[in-house]
Amino acid sequence: MAEGSNQNTAQSAFGRFFDKVGRTSISGLEEVGRHGVMLVESLYWLIAGPRMSQPVRLGSVIAEMMEIGVRAIGIIGIMAAAIGAMLAIQGIYTLKVFGAEGHVVLGVAFSMVREFAPLITGILVAGRSGSALSARLGTMKINQELDALEVMGINPVRFLVVPSLIASLVMVPVLTFMSMALGLYAAALYVRATLGMTMAAFFDQTINVLSLDDLMHGLGKAAIFGVLIALIGVLNGFLVKGGAEGVGKATTRSVVQCISAIVVTDMLFALVATF
Amino acid sequence: MSEAATATVQEAPPEARTVIEVRDLVTHYGPREILHGVNVDIVEGEIMVIMGGSGSGKSTFLRHLMALQRPTSGSIKILDHDVWSLSQKQLFELRRKLGVAFQSGALFSSMTVGENIMLPLYEHTKLDRTTMEIMARMKLEVVELSGFEDLMPSELSGGMIKRAAVARALIMDPRILFFDEPSAGLDPVVSKQLDELILRLRDAMGMTICVVTHELDSAFTIADRITVLDQGNILFIGTVDELRSSASERIQNLLNRRSEEAEIDPDEYLRRLTGDKEEAEGMPR
Ligand SMILES: Nc1ncnc2c1ncn2[C@@H]1O[C@H](COP(=O)(O)OP(=O)(O)O)[C@@H](O)[C@H]1O
Ligand SMILES: [Mg+2]
């Protein structure tokens, strides 16, 4: 009898496991669906808004660009420089084994422009703005401000989401470009100090090895990261339930989801681009 | 149809005109049915108070009256428009004729009080800034908050936030004004001021006003008619006198007793502990 009940619990635990996997994948799909819907709705308001006298305000877009982009310049600049220097240090250290330190520029240029600049920029913007978007919209939701907008005849997607989306779409690539430049500059400084290569020689080589394709690869990814950050941040904010605690949870969720989405997208890009 | 007939229709007597007509309203949250076929008419120029224990569906009902939530079935006509058969554009236009003062005030925390009040003007009109500022100041005057336009919402007290929210609700000169729990979280003096403001808005501007509250005192002060909701059904619709004289035990009990399943509102709980008058009177002897 005892055995039977054991088997029963084992079976139901097994069943529960699959049940859970099933449910998780369904809610995951739902989540992706919601992001798609939000993106389409944003595009709709961007295009159809002016005709319904609901234009997207340039002022709000600029304010968001300041918040997402300009205020992030300091921290992203420092981090990009640190990564650039790190790549140079690690590159020279590794290549020394083969006595090929001179080739360090190749490695640094490729990794910085194609991978590290978009990645570090995306992750930092996610941490700063993805979470801030969720916190802001979540607070507005529990404070009934979103309902207030709706009854005032102001569509919240048009008023709040589209400006953030545009700002993020524009500013993440811009910041990424800055990261590339600063990362390479920091690398060049280290290479000059250790190998005695001039800055001019470093940048000559960099421009020689890099193609426009590499640059576009990095910036294109950055644009997609920008869209992902805005969508994930906004949706987690809209879905907040139950008071200040709900806002806190949404903020955390938002950062984790943003960074996961960025890393996975990055991997998929690398896979497709080198296929 | 002949022209004469059309003319007579338009000249129908203005009194007793229905501005909101709710028919067989059923609504769900997920699988749970919250409102079970509600019928209400709200008449132009009246103050309709919606009462009921917490969890009885008052806020949900109000969201339907404000065209914020789509029902499962049934119809809602606001100012002769069948709300959910309107196009999105028409719905936006209709909503501009409605003003709402939310329970929390729902002022935008990143804007000053003045900017909050001007926002609907800024979004829906092409007025210049000076005109908008003058209009905002006029509405602040109505709610007795002159001179507060440059403060941030976080610098206002609870009662002031609610009055500022009323000013914002008034800025587009709405036909119908909604209040969700205007006295929640306010001390009795401030909540009395708000009641006076609501009465003044009806008398001076002829506005139709719809108020959700569970404060009996406030309801009896302001209401022309009262609707009592009980677990998603309408238990009573009528005037204050009719309600007072209602012999129905259920109505009297419901007005006084908190619903058992409802979570306890901390303000309410504190008031009961400290033995507030109306609550004590409502206690079974
Ligand atoms: N967004 C929601 N999702 C699910 N259930 C809800 C939601 N809002 C309210 N409810 C439930 O619906 C019922 C009626 O709620 P509500 O309209 O807020 O009542 P009241 O305002 O009278 O307290 C309650 O039982 C509440 O738990
Ligand atoms: Mg309520």
Side-chain angles (χ1 to χ4, degrees):
Chain A
M1 200 177 90
E3 221 171 78
S5 73
N6 263 346
Q7 209 170 19
N8 249 343
T9 43
Q11 247 174 12
S12 63
F14 210 58
R16 269 204 304 276
F17 172 73
F18 280 108
D19 190 49
K20 191 152 184 214
V21 169
R23 273 170 206 281
T24 312
S25 9
I26 288 173
S27 71
L29 279 180
E30 253 176 35
E31 192 106 9
V32 172
R34 283 207 204 99
H35 289 97
V37 169
M38 182 61 77
L39 189 60
V40 170
E41 213 178 320
S42 302
L43 285 176
Y44 169 80
W45 283 106
L46 187 60
I47 294 160
R51 235 175 302 150
M52 299 167 70
S53 47
Q54 296 247 353
V56 173
R57 304 271 175 200
L58 193 61
S60 323
V61 176
I62 291 172
E64 284 296 309
M65 282 180 167
M66 284 297 289
E67 187 48 50
I68 293 175
V70 178
R71 301 219 170 90
I73 286 177
I75 182 68
I76 291 179
I78 292 169
M79 289 299 130
I83 297 253
M86 178 272 281
L87 285 173
I89 295 166
Q90 197 64 42
I92 289 176
Y93 179 78
T94 316
L95 290 171
K96 230 182 209 152
V97 179
F98 310 104
E101 301 100 301
H103 292 299
V104 67
V105 183
L106 188 78
V108 170
F110 273 129
S111 347
M112 199 65 210
V113 169
R114 291 180 67 98
E115 285 302 328
F116 284 99
L119 203 58
I120 193 67
T121 309
I123 288 175
L124 283 170
V125 173
R128 280 186 84 254
S129 302
S131 57
L133 268 176
S134 298
R136 180 152 58 97
L137 288 175
T139 310
M140 292 185 78
K141 163 127 191 233
I142 59 171
N143 198 21
Q144 295 176 300
E145 289 170 42
L146 297 181
D147 285 342
L149 279 177
E150 198 90 48
V151 268
M152 280 182 217
I154 299 172
N155 181 280
V157 172
R158 187 269 300 181
F159 191 72
L160 298 169
V161 177
V162 180
S164 305
L165 194 61
I166 296 176
S168 188
L169 172 68
V170 174
M171 291 319 281
V172 177
V174 170
L175 288 169
T176 298
F177 189 74
M178 181 196 80
S179 295
M180 292 170 180
L182 282 172
L184 290 174
Y185 187 76
L189 283 178
Y190 181 80
V191 171
R192 185 178 68 175
T194 46
L195 303 183
M197 184 190 278
T198 63
M199 302 289 276
F202 183 96
F203 280 105
D204 265 357
Q205 276 198 41
T206 303
I207 289 166
N208 274 338
V209 293
L210 287 180
S211 64
L212 191 63
D213 248 23
D214 298 316
L215 184 66
M216 288 335 256
H217 179 88
L219 294 180
K221 263 198 313 205
I224 292 176
F225 294 167
V227 172
L228 285 174
I229 292 167
L231 284 179
I232 292 172
V234 159
L235 268 171
N236 278 307
F238 274 154
L239 296 177
V240 161
K241 274 195 206 103
E245 198 189 338
V247 176
K249 277 190 196 144
T251 312
T252 312
R253 247 169 73 89
S254 171
V255 176
V256 172
Q257 285 183 358
C258 281
I259 293 177
S260 314
I262 285 173
V263 172
V264 171
T265 310
D266 194 58
M267 185 272 286
L268 290 177
F269 252 78
L271 197 67
V272 171
T274 56
F275 202 63
Chain B
M1 195 188 279
S2 75
E3 266 176 47
T6 334
T8 20
V9 170
Q10 282 169 348
E11 279 161 28
E15 66 259 26
R17 189 169 161 255
T18 302
V19 286
I20 303 184
E21 182 193 287
V22 179
R23 288 292 172 269
D24 303 320
L25 184 75
V26 176
T27 200
H28 290 80
Y29 284 124
R32 237 183 95 205
E33 191 170 300
I34 305 293
L35 298 172
H36 320 287
V38 170
N39 291 288
V40 172
D41 286 316
I42 296 175
V43 174
E44 184 154 39
E46 77 171 342
I47 297 180
M48 171 65 94
V49 172
I50 298 164
M51 301 198 68
S54 34
S56 58
K58 303 183 297 289
S59 298
T60 306
F61 185 49
L62 196 70
R63 287 174 62 80
H64 285 98
L65 295 182
M66 304 186 291
L68 272 182
Q69 195 170 332
R70 198 175 199 134
T72 316
S73 66
S75 79
I76 301 149
K77 274 192 185 159
I78 302 179
L79 300 168
D80 298 324
H81 298 285
D82 187 350
V83 173
W84 297 110
S85 60
L86 296 179
S87 71
Q88 196 158 25
K89 189 175 180 194
Q90 289 168 318
L91 189 58
F92 275 122
E93 270 156 23
L94 177 64
R95 281 188 184 138
R96 286 175 208 172
K97 296 177 188 156
L98 312 178
V100 186
F102 283 94
Q103 186 165 346
S104 57
L107 297 179
F108 303 110
S109 51
S110 57
M111 304 178 188
T112 66
V113 172
E115 285 165 349
N116 259 285
I117 295 170
M118 284 187 286
L119 180 65
L121 291 177
Y122 181 69
E123 287 295 324
H124 299 318
T125 69
K126 294 196 163 57
L127 299 172
D128 60 281
R129 177 101 189 170
T130 329
T131 316
M132 288 197 244
E133 278 169 4
I134 292 171
M135 290 176 73
R137 264 184 240 128
M138 279 165 57
K139 301 302 177 190
L140 279 170
E141 191 101 25
V142 172
V143 300
E144 294 168 342
L145 275 182
S146 309
F148 287 89
E149 57 265 33
D150 292 329
L151 294 187
M152 300 304 284
S154 57
E155 297 170 296
L156 300 184
S157 71
M160 285 153 85
I161 284 179
K162 295 219 175 159
R163 280 185 282 149
V166 175
R168 185 177 66 185
L170 290 174
I171 194 75
M172 297 295 285
D173 292 318
R175 300 276 305 277
I176 313 172
L177 198 55
F178 298 92
F179 288 85
D180 193 1
E181 305 272 3
S183 43
L186 298 184
D187 66 65
V189 177
V190 178
S191 103
K192 204 145 252 145
Q193 287 171 352
L194 212 57
D195 287 347
E196 280 159 19
L197 173 62
I198 291 171
L199 285 171
R200 210 147 24 90
L201 290 174
R202 177 197 61 186
D203 297 337
M205 306 192 175
M207 222 170 265
T208 310
I209 300 175
C210 193
V211 183
V212 163
T213 184
H214 57 246
E215 305 274 334
L216 259 187
D217 228 22
S218 160
F220 284 173
T221 313
I222 59 178
D224 291 313
R225 288 197 302 151
I226 294 182
T227 299
V228 180
L229 273 179
D230 174 25
Q231 289 170 17
N233 290 305
I234 293 216
L235 194 58
F236 172 92
I237 301 182
T239 64
V240 175
D241 288 338
E242 283 164 2
L243 184 70
R244 273 215 180 94
S245 60
S246 161
S248 159
E249 188 110 357
R250 270 185 88 203
I251 289 179
Q252 296 304 332
N253 280 346
L254 257 154
L255 288 177
N256 300 325
R257 189 197 66 190
R258 301 264 74 79
S259 159
E260 278 104 46
E261 63 196 299
E263 67 272 70
I264 293 171
D265 172 6
D267 287 345
E268 205 54 54
Y269 183 62
L270 209 64
R271 208 165 304 161
R272 255 191 290 167
L273 283 182
T274 53
D276 184 87
K277 195 159 50 77
E278 307 100 73
E279 286 296 324
E281 272 170 12
M283 289 296 183
R285 267 146 268 199

